[in-house]
Amino acid sequence: MTKTRFLRPLPLATAVVFAFAAVPAVAQDTVKMGALATLEGAFTVLGQDGIRGVELALKERNYMAGGKKIELVKGSSNGSPDSAVSAARKLVEQDKVQLLIGPLSGSEGIAVKDYAKTQLQTTFLNGTSGAQEATLSSPAPNFFRFSTDGAQWSAGLGSHSFAKGYKKVVVVAEDYAFPYSQVAGFMMEYCKAGGKVADKHWVPIGTKDYSSVIAKLPADIDAVYVALGGSDAVNFLTQYEQNGGNKPLIGGTITVDQTVLGYKGKRRDSLIGTPASSPIADGNDSAAWKKFVADYKAAFKDGFPSPSLFAHGYYVNTKAALDAMDSVKGDLSANHTALRNVLSTMTLKTPTGDVKLDGNRNAIANMYLTEVAKAADGSLYNKVVKVVPNVNQMLGLSKAEFDKMGIGSRTNPECK
């Protein structure tokens, strides 16, 4: 009797309820977004502000896009390509993120771009990795960069530095892909104007002692072009001051970013007047930038006096993902075909102007020529000298001219 009773067919409505109850609930209305940044190592402070940029873009939308809830999953690297790929692999293959924002550092971007080719079900949007090769060399169809590259960030700086009277300089830069791009962008203009680069000193990320480099700086140079970031920049600036360095500096983009300008020391005020170029400028007086700064300050009491380029870059790429999600109403079917079509063709409204992508899915955007200045409250900021509009990855050159120059490296370009 007992067996017969339990084998008797259930009513249809009850069977349907049991059938659904037996299947694990799948949150079809939730999209997982990964944020990969350097939350350890020499660039930790940079990565923390990058995450603030992601969170700000999500806060503006109440963590919603395309009618779906966005669940944020964070991943950490230390600035090395291997750590970035390891973190990306965890986010994609274990955490199952569908969208990934990052990474932060130059060589990381090249490695993550190559990894993206093996994970076509996921859409990758750059964080702030500035290596030219991330999009110029064998680009991945699912890797998008709305934050431009390091060579683009140098627009206007070379010719401006030469006009200031800096006819001969020495380069001090970290030894990896992003500074190669930065130096190449600077030197393209600087050498064309007639400037000479006497030497280049490439140092490992995380260098603590710069005494040997400082000792080798010749007396007959007009300035030192410094392309260091995070604690590397602070260590160099401090030791340059302690060793009596008195030559003017030309700043690589992240050398005079807010992640460095807030450091304490006598040499800090010596940075006043230092020229640099960047995708952002603290002194930008546009309404869109001022709103971005105000929103950043309101959201992050532990942030910088003004958002760093890392907060900006991660914000811009996250906003692109969210805007595209809205455009396709959250449709991520067929390996995100509709989403990627929108990303490739959209005009993105950002705090620094409109951004469009080129055929390699790399941003065309405004750049800002700046000089360090002191605000009324004593903080340092980058005032705008000039806006260089719509800088593309070819730096205004024809393809033939750009190909002849080539991608930046330890030895390319040269002008001694």
Side-chain angles (χ1 to χ4, degrees), residues 175-206:
D175 194 4
Y176 71 104
F178 165 64
Y180 301 162
S181 299
Q182 279 264 277
V183 172
F186 167 76
M187 287 182 63
M188 185 199 79
E189 286 187 6
Y190 183 69
C191 299
K192 186 176 181 180
K196 301 298 180 185
V197 176
D199 203 358
K200 300 175 190 173
H201 297 280
W202 302 107
V203 299
I205 295 175

Side-chain angles (χ1 to χ4, degrees), residues 145-146 148 152 354-359 362-367 389-393:
R145 176 158 59 188
F146 284 84
T148 57
Q152 291 172 276
D354 289 355
V355 175
K356 289 183 70 70
L357 299 188
D358 63 19
N362 188 85
I364 301 168
N366 297 335
M367 297 298 131
N390 300 319
V391 178
N392 63 30
Q393 203 169 23

Side-chain angles (χ1 to χ4, degrees), residues 366-415:
N366 297 335
M367 297 298 131
Y368 294 82
L369 180 63
T370 65
E371 288 190 356
V372 177
K374 181 179 278 190
D377 64 2
S379 63
L380 299 185
Y381 73 101
N382 288 295
K383 69 177 182 180
V384 178
V385 174
K386 178 183 177 182
V387 179
V388 185
N390 300 319
V391 178
N392 63 30
Q393 203 169 23
M394 299 292 177
L395 307 176
L397 302 175
S398 68
K399 186 177 186 306
E401 290 172 325
F402 186 86
D403 289 346
K404 183 178 180 181
M405 181 182 76
I407 290 174
S409 69
R410 283 174 127 254
T411 57
N412 184 56
E414 292 285 2
C415 62

